[in-house]
Amino acid sequence: MQAMQVERRIGGAGTGKTAYVLDQMDRVRSEGVAPSEIALVTFSKSGCEEMRDRAASRWDVPGECLTNFRTAHSHAYRAIGVTPDQLLTDD
């Protein structure tokens, strides 16, 4: 297993953050890492969906295989074993 590399990118809208992250993930993919082994952490569900859609399109894979593209909260819930049916919702 490869050592995990963590990067943080901060910038306003339109500064190229998404393109940069996708380019970095392309580099990792070129080293033989499967899409399902790449993790992405975002703060919003919409940001996560956008990245998942763009990566899936770019790599010609179904978005469902990008199981580690999650929000920070989703990663945390998964790590401690909380399932979606255990969460309180606004419904």
Side-chain angles (χ1 to χ4, degrees), residues 10-17:
I10 300 172
T15 59
K17 295 177 305 293

Side-chain angles (χ1 to χ4, degrees), residues 22 46-61 63-64 66 69:
L22 287 168
S46 62
C48 184
E49 291 167 2
E50 170 75 15
M51 285 295 288
R52 184 183 299 119
D53 291 348
R54 288 178 67 173
S57 175
R58 195 172 203 171
W59 300 335
D60 195 27
V61 298
E64 295 79 27
L66 303 175
F69 280 50

